[in-house]
């Protein structure tokens, strides 16, 4: 699972922020990972690999093959060589969740912040903060998709704009229901593209197979108004047809939308 950008200021985060640069980046000290950490990463990777063929969207499946990351915690600089060629994105190491301004600035400049630390073995099934497994396995493969990569850059610019317009709470819901928990309609059925789903041992099957949650067609205004829970499986998912649709539907200027939606009541994700 991944807390949204708006929660970044939480002072109880467990990463080591003391060594971070002004843009919140740190060095990935790859040689400091222990054999136990690489083994835990491999175990997480193997569990998820059994699920993704059935539940992940085709773009994610196409990209994971290029990453060759099943051997252990990857070296970010090696990833950056192939990612630069594919979509001109890069990944930057961070101590954990970072504040909104540097987060959006990284995205707007085609840099994705990836947490350096790995969860403990006790957190194999569930973790509240994003770790290197969530960030890497969930987010990085889709950065190889051109349309997704361009959309995420636009989202970053939109985040900087939403900060000026005091609309971060609304825009964070969009991130939540797309980048973290988004579903996509494909010829073989509904599939996951949200990173919080792709990196989850339980919710990845649940979001596709379970009859309980709602699966609504992507609807921008509804999403901007829909609250979310960060501590359990989602009650409601939004389904896009393609990343092209996501790009198209989020392209208009949100300024009038924010003004109109701001005073409307928020929507309950479990409402029918
Ligand atoms: N079009 C949005 C705006 O004007 C920016 C944005 C793009 C937001 C893509 C999210 C995703 O604010
Ligand atoms: Co995430």
């Amino acid at each position: 699972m991944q807390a949204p950008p708006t929660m970044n200021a939480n002072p109880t985060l467990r990463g080591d922020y003391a060594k971070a640069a002004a843009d919140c980046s740190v060095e990935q000290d790859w040689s400091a990972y222990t054999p136990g950490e690489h083994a835990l990463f491999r175990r997480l990777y193997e569990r998820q690999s059994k699920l993704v063929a059935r539940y992940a969207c085709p773009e994610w499946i196409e990209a994971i093959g290029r990453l060759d990351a099943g051997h252990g915690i990857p070296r970010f600089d090696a990833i950056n060589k192939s990612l630069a060629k594919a979509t001109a994105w890069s990944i930057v190491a961070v101590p954990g969740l970072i504040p909104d301004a540097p987060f959006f600035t990284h995205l707007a400049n085609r840099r994705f912040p990836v947490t350096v630390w790995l969860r403990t073995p006790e957190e194999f099934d569930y973790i509240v903060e994003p770790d290197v497994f969530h960030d890497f396995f969930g987010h990085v493969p889709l950065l190889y998709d051109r349309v997704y990569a361009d959309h995420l850059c636009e989202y970053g610019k939109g985040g900087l704009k939403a900060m000026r317009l005091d609309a971060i709470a609304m825009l964070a819901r969009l991130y939540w229901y797309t980048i973290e928990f988004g579903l996509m309609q494909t010829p073989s059925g509904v599939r996951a593209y949200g990173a919080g789903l792709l990196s989850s041992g339980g919710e990845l099957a649940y979001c596709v197979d379970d009859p309980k949650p709602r699966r609504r067609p992507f609807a921008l205004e509804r999403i901007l108004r829909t609250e979310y829970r960060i501590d359990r499986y989602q009650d409601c998912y939004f389904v896009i047809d393609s990343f092209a649709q996501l790009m198209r539907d989020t392209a208009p200027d949100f300024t009038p939308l924010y003004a109109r939606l701001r005073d409307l009541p928020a929507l309950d994700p479990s409402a029918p």
Side-chain angles (χ1 to χ4, degrees), residues 151 154-155 158 161 171 174 250-254 258:
H151 165 262
E154 292 308 311
Y155 180 90
K161 179 164 131 189
L171 191 69
L174 180 61
T250 55
D253 182 2
F254 285 11
Y258 291 147

Side-chain angles (χ1 to χ4, degrees), residues 64-233:
I64 193 73
R66 303 209 236 165
L67 283 171
D68 189 32
H71 314 294
I73 301 170
R75 292 181 191 261
F76 295 177
D77 49 3
I79 298 301
N80 280 338
K81 290 200 183 98
S82 67
L83 190 50
K85 279 186 219 135
T87 57
W89 270 74
S90 63
I91 57 178
V92 287
V94 289
L97 290 168
I98 62 174
D100 290 337
F103 179 74
F104 293 133
T105 302
H106 280 306
L107 296 186
N109 290 283
R110 304 179 84 84
R111 295 186 298 260
F112 194 83
V114 176
T115 302
V116 285
W117 55 265
L118 183 68
R119 69 193 68 187
T120 65
E122 292 69 42
E123 293 165 310
F124 193 74
D125 288 317
Y126 180 83
I127 180 158
V128 213
E129 285 176 65
D131 71 337
V132 62
F133 182 74
H134 162 82
D135 280 342
F136 190 83
F137 193 89
H139 289 283
V140 173
L142 287 174
L143 300 176
Y144 285 80
D145 181 85
R146 276 169 201 281
V147 181
Y148 180 96
D150 286 347
H151 165 262
L152 193 55
C153 175
E154 292 308 311
Y155 180 90
K157 295 182 210 164
L160 294 169
K161 179 164 131 189
M163 289 184 75
R164 296 193 294 274
L165 296 171
D166 192 23
I168 289 296
M170 280 185 272
L171 191 69
R173 292 175 183 146
L174 180 61
Y175 192 88
W176 190 261
Y177 285 115
T178 58
I179 306 300
E180 293 296 351
F181 290 96
L183 296 180
M184 180 191 284
Q185 189 66 53
T186 79
S188 16
V190 167
R191 294 290 181 266
Y193 72 91
L197 300 170
L198 291 162
S199 65
S200 167
E203 193 166 1
L204 185 49
Y206 173 89
C207 71
V208 170
D209 286 340
D210 199 286
K212 207 164 342 118
R214 265 163 215 293
R215 297 175 188 84
R216 301 184 189 277
F218 182 87
L220 180 61
E221 294 197 17
R222 180 183 271 274
I223 292 176
L224 294 177
R225 291 180 60 192
T226 304
E227 290 171 332
Y228 54 84
R229 301 275 312 242
I230 70 165
D231 56 348
R232 58 168 211 214
Y233 294 172

